[in-house]
Amino acid sequence: MLKAQLLLLALMSAGIGCSPSFDPPSEVKSVRVLATRADKPYGAPGDTVKLDILAFDGRPSKPEPMDVFWFTTPCINPLNDAYYNCFPGFAKTFKPGIDLTPRLDMGTSFSFDLPADVITTHAAPQSGDAYGVAVVFSMACAGHVQYMAPVSGGAPDALPFGCFDDHQTQLDANDFVFSYSLVYSFSEETNANPVITRLTQGGAPVDPDLGVTVEHCTQGKIDDCPTTPLDTVVLEANQELTPANRDASGDPLKEEIWVDYYVTAGKPKNETVILYDTHGGRTPNTGDDFHAPQTAGEYLLWAVVHDNRGGADWLEVPLHAN
Amino acid sequence: MFVSIAERFRVARALVFLALIFASLAARAQQMDAAKGSTITPPRLKTDSGAEYPAQALHDQVPASVTVTLILEISTDGAVAKADLQTPQGHGFDEAALAAAHKLVFEPALRDGTPISARIKFQYVFTPPAPRLVGRVARQVSDRPIAGAQVKVRDASGGEHTTSTAPDGSWGFLDLPPGHVHILVSAAGQMPVDSEEDLASGQETSLTLRLSPELASTPVAESAPGAEAPVEIEVRGERPPREVTKRTLGKEEIEHIPGTNGDALRSLQNLPGVARPPPFQGALIVRGSAPADTNIFVDGTNIPLIYHFGGLSSVVPTELLEKIDFYPGNFSAVYGRGMGGVVDVGLRDPRSDGLHGLAQVDLIDARLMLEGPVFKTGWKFLVAGRRSYFDAWLGPALKRTGAGVTTAPRYYDGQAMLQRDIDSHSSFRLTLLGSNDALKILNQTPDSADPTFAGQLGYSTSFWRLQARYQNKLSARTELRVTAAYGVDAIDLGVGTNLIRTTLHPVSARAELSHKVVRGLSANFGVDLVYEPYHVSLSVPPTVRPGQPSGGPGQVPVRVTTSETLFLPAGYAELEVVPWRGGRIVPGLRADYDSSTSSWDFSPRVNGRQDLTTGFPRTTLKAGAGLFYQPPAPIGTSQGAIDTGTQTMLSSNRAIHYDVGLEQEFTANIDLSFDLFYKSLNHLVVSDAGNSGDGRAYGAEWLLRYKPGGRFFGWVSYTLSRSERRDTPAEPLRLSEYDQTHILTLIGSYKLGRGWQLGGRFRLVSGNLYSPTSYGAFDATTGSQLGVATFPPNGSRLPYFHQLDIRADKTWLFPSWKLNAYLDVQNVYYAKNAEGIGYNYNYTQYGYVTGLPILPSLGLRAEF
């Protein structure tokens, strides 16, 4: 009980103390993975599931190009469903110090088969539907991928792979992203990806080919730059019931759906905006304000929509700063 | 085992290597310079005296090599102008690497032969020093050394190492790997003996093995069990001490301590042994114990909360208090079901000398109180209530940040009392008290690190108790006190799909019979019953233990709904013995039954005091030891983690408290209290690991106090302590999240005259612990970047906290009433104290989250 209180009070106090300021997460200036999308977020046992990845190389200089590598064997039902409990299995498959490119798939999509026994081989949950889970690992890397032997007694979630250049120098966090995707399989529950209907600027629909046009900003601080209103429209029919999640009265809750904005220049006022709340449905204000870039040029803007059960959709549009 | 502290600090194997920083940047710079026809030579290392392996890492038993990466700025003379951490590692590694880096000397970088400043990446690799195993072999009876005995050690990986003892019987291995070893010693004419040991990095284990003469007529197999050689293991280090104490604050002190707004229970945080809670967390952290380990009672009835949310004020107003008894440890057998401390708040009876009232307002809340006799019935009444009104300004402020506010944060509490003296020996009192805190907001713009922890945020916590108390002094030697209560506790917390909802209906009863048997001997017998039906609904992320990483926000939540009933009957007996002049011994025994574990816990305890002097100034020695049990909670653990409450076959958490202390009077106003305590914790309930946890807390407390009575009161309080835990016996002890090494509090308040009073409080406290976090995996399913926290957890500490608070009071006296105005200003000199660590989105940059700026509070109180 006390912990619950502390949790809440920490939340309250988070807005009252003074936090350090960093570059916003929406700013894409390095190798980034923004999302993956499974064509079947909740697959059935035996289904073939296709994953698409949204990755982008935002580095101002690119000594080596970025590629997306997929680890071809999904990890099925790791202990406690924790992705890092798959890591010990890599030690049996890979040796340190070797370029793994020949053993990995490359590209922006990857398909795999959910095992027919994915549910039956999973430990029975404490309550609710029986389920299984597949964890698919990928790596966006501006070099090649090497396995790194785990440090004895080290953190269990320490990254097991590194991104290395041709000189065997390990590249830093600007040059790679190690990511994982979860694909669940429930005996009863189903799930569909949310779908972005359109992006609007100032209330008018944005043509995905023409993109968003703004005047570049001449202010010294990005937060002082003029804003243009953006809104990502997802129709209410996309918010599915989640029978397993119930409120205090026992009534089933709906999905939470939110949008993450990413840009190569400029800054959204909020990187993440809740579009649909689990309790209250569509939120009163789904829009965001976008601060114009400080330099004229051609840029990119992404709206990535997620639901809280692994569904996703995204929209990439050009951003013109005159 | 002789562990040389100096050796622990000896330079570890520090591998140093250079790499060009921002390799691509430098390469690009070179390309650009090459295009201009320039040649760049990177800096070259000239002098490196290495980095010391940190003592903290040795203590924390960090098992593996750790790499600290630094960004160095090399000036044109080759000196290190600046060194920054790229990724902190904690456990003292960062400080050791930075200290060593500033002693490095380079040949500067050159452009066309001209020195230029440069930035490079530099790494220190800290490898734990190997354990040392040394010993001595001697004869069983005479203890004379045996030279030439063969010592064979098989290490954890199966490797065998052999040596012979020197003429003085000594032997040693300096490069064994950490882990379990088997030692076999044999010598001509002696029976061989063996031993098993666990070796830890950087530590020295020392054994003395004594051999018995071989008996030709006695087969080895028969003699072995009885002839097991004694093994002496000596551990060098300070033996943890012990202590016991009880502290009481006077009304004048409570009302005028700066920084507390005159709140009685918040003033407890200024006493020795009580840690400073993080801001806006109304937690009572006593002697390194989790807040849940300390029980709060109102006249013997347990209540679930002590503070309204944010720790802004207590749930029972100061004006109702008769006393606060605070036991940081070694409390008597009267109290049970707790391993930490006890706070027992005594409510006063209503006044009988006419109608009296009070009204108080400050920037946070307002309260009213009315009391007096009920006509001429012999009954007296008291009613009081308080409501916060900061929701009036905080609600609009939250809305301006974009949050949808259904219920702005607010709290209220109320009390009602009816009391009657039945006759000169007995009285009856009925008390109703309750509290309610709530907020409901919609957070539409969550942290991108976990967007599932967003949306509608609702919080409500409430409790009420109806308590009846009957006291009767049956005879000059016998007294009876009976208290019974019924109430409801409710917590309802929801964030997105996360939900914690609990409702409890506790029925409690206490009865104690005190009887003076003979001069110098009294006996107390009591029963303490709790019957508690409860309902719990949970939907929370899977639980993890401290140091164990989360599986990420994409995991399926754990959902639990259960309705059970706890029945916790207990009985106790306690003697108060005065065996001689100035001495007092209180042995006691408490028996607790827990229906959830279907088991009894028996808790013997003893406390004693001995005056060393007769009359003033008094010197008193005090000591105590005892066993304390705490039943597993329906949800939550003593470790502070949320446990889903689905573990079975649990037993109670257990603690053994040891105390020893000294009290010394100097003048009528000044006294000193010094205490040493040691608290051994075991059978601790750990999430998903049963009763596998253990730990300890120990320290020393000083309280130099100038008592109120004249124009001045104040005290200097200092606590030096350490609190450690581990989740399984196989792990090394790590610092508990409730550990604060140094807690210094200085308080003083002076009556200037003409109704003016001015006071100040200064605090200097060790920073809270945290686990440095670095770049981890990206959860592409939810778009969340995860961090990797260093292991073991709590390896780093925030900078010291220091703060000055002042308080000024002015009182106006009128013929039939008085008016008091006060200004309480917290953090007068605006110390930007670090209260946490903030990271950028991918944990490659970090900075301190600082606490509150200057916080003034103005209040008015009228009494008649």
Side-chain angles (χ1 to χ4, degrees), chain A residues 141-155:
Chain A
C141 165
H144 65 269
V145 179
Q146 287 184 195
Y147 176 66
M148 298 186 298
V151 175
S152 173

Side-chain angles (χ1 to χ4, degrees), chain B residues 796-817:
Chain B
S796 286
R797 195 181 285 282
L798 294 171
Y800 273 90
F801 168 94
H802 55 93
Q803 182 171 305
L804 176 66
D805 311 318
I806 60 168
R807 178 185 169 105
D809 284 79
K810 168 67 178 168
T811 303
W812 293 270
L813 293 174
F814 301 98
S816 58
W817 67 291

Side-chain angles (χ1 to χ4, degrees), chain A residues 244-259:
Chain A
N245 290 327
R246 292 178 182 269
D247 66 11
S249 309
D251 296 328
L253 297 173
K254 288 186 166 183
E255 286 179 329
E256 179 186 322
I257 300 178
W258 70 92
V259 59

Side-chain angles (χ1 to χ4, degrees), chain B residues 720-761:
Chain B
L720 174 69
S721 68
R722 191 171 182 88
S723 177
E724 299 168 322
R725 301 284 188 282
R726 62 183 167 191
D727 294 329
T728 62
E731 298 174 13
L733 284 167
R734 58 177 162 75
L735 284 176
S736 148
E737 64 181 295
Y738 307 110
D739 177 84
Q740 282 179 3
T741 310
H742 304 283
I743 308 168
L744 174 68
T745 305
L746 286 78
I747 284 175
S749 186
Y750 188 77
K751 289 178 183 167
L752 300 167
R754 298 191 175 186
W756 285 97
Q757 186 162 355
L758 186 66
R761 173 179 73 164

Side-chain angles (χ1 to χ4, degrees), chain B residues 109 115 135 192 208 247 287 300 317 418 492 616 630 634 720 762 809:
Chain B
T208 298
R247 312 218 186 268
R287 287 186 177 172
L418 272 176
D492 190 349
F616 180 83
Q630 182 169 313
L720 174 69
F762 176 75
D809 284 79

Side-chain angles (χ1 to χ4, degrees), chain A residues 1-222:
Chain A
M1 290 170 72
L2 192 55
K3 183 72 178 177
Q5 279 186 280
L6 298 181
L7 196 65
L8 179 81
L9 298 173
L11 279 175
M12 287 178 61
S13 58
I16 297 171
C18 188
S19 301
S21 59
F22 304 109
D23 291 340
S26 59
E27 189 176 70
V28 179
K29 287 192 171 176
S30 60
V31 168
R32 294 286 293 271
V33 171
L34 308 183
T36 55
R37 178 177 53 204
D39 62 346
K40 296 165 188 159
Y42 282 5
D47 272 358
T48 298
V49 179
K50 183 186 173 208
L51 286 169
D52 293 311
I53 193 165
L54 176 59
F56 185 77
D57 186 353
R59 294 173 300 161
S61 173
K62 303 176 177 65
E64 292 188 60
M66 178 200 80
D67 288 303
V68 177
F69 301 88
W70 296 87
F71 295 83
T72 54
T73 307
C75 171
I76 307 298
N77 295 329
L79 182 66
N80 298 330
D81 298 344
Y83 67 97
Y84 56 81
N85 284 329
C86 300
F87 293 175
F90 291 130
K92 299 170 189 164
T93 314
F94 303 112
K95 288 184 177 173
I98 297 173
D99 179 355
L100 298 180
T101 304
R103 302 184 60 184
L104 306 177
D105 278 6
M106 292 172 67
T108 55
S109 59
F110 171 77
S111 294
F112 70 99
D113 294 333
L114 274 171
D117 60 354
V118 65
I119 295 178
T120 55
T121 55
H122 187 281
Q126 290 179 346
S127 66
D129 272 354
Y131 68 94
V133 62
V135 189
V136 179
F137 293 96
S138 58
M139 193 150 168
C141 165
H144 65 269
V145 179
Q146 287 184 195
Y147 176 66
M148 298 186 298
V151 175
S152 173
D157 52 346
L159 297 184
F161 297 98
C163 181
F164 292 77
D165 66 11
D166 290 341
H167 307 292
Q168 290 297 306
T169 302
Q170 188 178 355
L171 302 177
D172 66 21
N174 285 324
D175 300 307
F176 80 100
V177 176
F178 176 76
S179 62
Y180 68 90
S181 306
L182 303 174
V183 178
Y184 284 97
S185 181
F186 281 83
S187 57
E188 301 283 337
E189 264 192 78
T190 59
N191 185 21
N193 282 313
V195 177
I196 298 174
T197 302
R198 61 182 170 273
L199 179 71
T200 66
Q201 180 185 11
V206 173
D207 184 321
D209 297 324
L210 297 177
V212 172
T213 302
V214 294
E215 296 298 318
H216 87 273
C217 166
T218 55
Q219 300 289 329
K221 290 182 180 174
I222 186 83

Side-chain angles (χ1 to χ4, degrees), chain B residues 411-724:
Chain B
Y411 62 79
Y412 58 80
D413 59 62
Q415 301 80 30
M417 192 183 284
L418 272 176
Q419 190 265 342
R420 189 172 194 274
D421 291 332
I422 299 169
D423 53 38
S424 59
H425 302 298
S426 60
S427 70
F428 177 76
R429 191 171 80 184
L430 204 59
T431 306
L432 177 66
L433 56 96
S435 161
N436 186 298
D437 298 11
L439 71 81
K440 198 170 190 179
I441 61 174
L442 176 65
N443 177 17
Q444 269 194 255
T445 56
D447 191 319
S448 61
D450 187 358
T452 63
F453 206 72
Q456 191 164 289
L457 188 156
Y459 172 82
S460 168
T461 176
S462 62
F463 79 88
W464 63 264
R465 293 284 185 279
L466 179 63
Q467 182 194 64
R469 191 191 70 178
Y470 174 73
Q471 294 184 149
N472 194 340
K473 197 163 177 55
L474 301 170
S475 71
R477 289 171 171 265
T478 308
E479 186 173 351
L480 174 69
R481 288 181 295 275
V482 181
T483 306
Y486 170 70
V488 174
D489 303 344
I491 289 268
D492 190 349
L493 168 67
V495 185
T497 58
N498 301 296
L499 168 78
I500 298 175
R501 189 184 201 196
T502 65
T503 309
L504 298 85
H505 298 269
V507 181
S508 61
R510 278 179 172 274
E512 182 175 282
L513 190 69
S514 299
H515 182 67
K516 190 172 180 179
V517 183
V518 293
R519 181 184 170 89
L521 175 63
S522 298
N524 306 316
F525 302 96
V527 291
D528 172 9
L529 310 175
V530 174
Y531 178 81
E532 191 171 74
Y534 68 88
H535 175 82
V536 175
S537 290
L538 280 180
S539 177
V540 293
T543 53
V544 292
R545 303 199 294 271
Q548 186 184 358
S550 143
Q555 285 187 290
V556 172
V558 175
R559 302 180 183 99
V560 174
T561 299
T562 181
S563 294
E564 301 283 347
T565 297
L566 277 179
F567 181 46
L568 308 169
Y572 61 88
E574 200 171 60
L575 297 176
E576 297 176 46
V577 186
V578 182
W580 49 76
R581 185 184 176 92
R584 181 184 177 87
I585 301 170
V586 185
L589 176 67
R590 183 182 171 98
D592 282 277
Y593 179 78
D594 179 357
S595 63
S596 72
T597 61
S598 303
S599 61
W600 284 91
D601 296 319
F602 296 94
S603 313
R605 302 169 192 176
V606 62
N607 294 333
R609 297 175 68 86
Q610 177 63 52
D611 290 341
L612 301 182
T613 56
T614 56
F616 180 83
R618 192 169 48 91
T619 302
T620 306
L621 277 178
K622 52 188 181 177
L627 204 54
F628 299 82
Y629 288 94
Q630 182 169 313
I635 59 169
T637 69
S638 169
Q639 306 280 46
I642 293 177
D643 186 76
T644 51
T646 54
Q647 297 196 84
T648 55
M649 307 295 287
L650 292 176
S651 61
S652 298
N653 303 276
R654 191 175 76 170
I656 306 172
H657 292 195
Y658 302 99
D659 306 72
V660 63
L662 174 76
E663 290 174 359
Q664 176 65 55
E665 290 177 335
F666 295 108
T667 70
N669 290 99
I670 302 174
D671 59 34
L672 173 73
S673 168
F674 170 66
D675 301 288
L676 297 168
F677 69 90
Y678 182 86
K679 187 157 52 181
S680 170
L681 306 166
N682 48 48
H683 298 179
L684 300 182
V685 176
V686 174
S687 292
D688 294 328
N691 286 90
S692 62
D694 66 0
R696 60 187 179 178
Y698 54 94
E701 298 165 354
W702 288 261
L703 179 64
L704 180 62
R705 192 166 177 179
Y706 193 103
K707 296 176 191 169
R711 283 178 170 265
F712 179 80
F713 78 84
W715 66 78
V716 179
S717 152
Y718 173 64
T719 305
L720 174 69
S721 68
R722 191 171 182 88
S723 177
E724 299 168 322

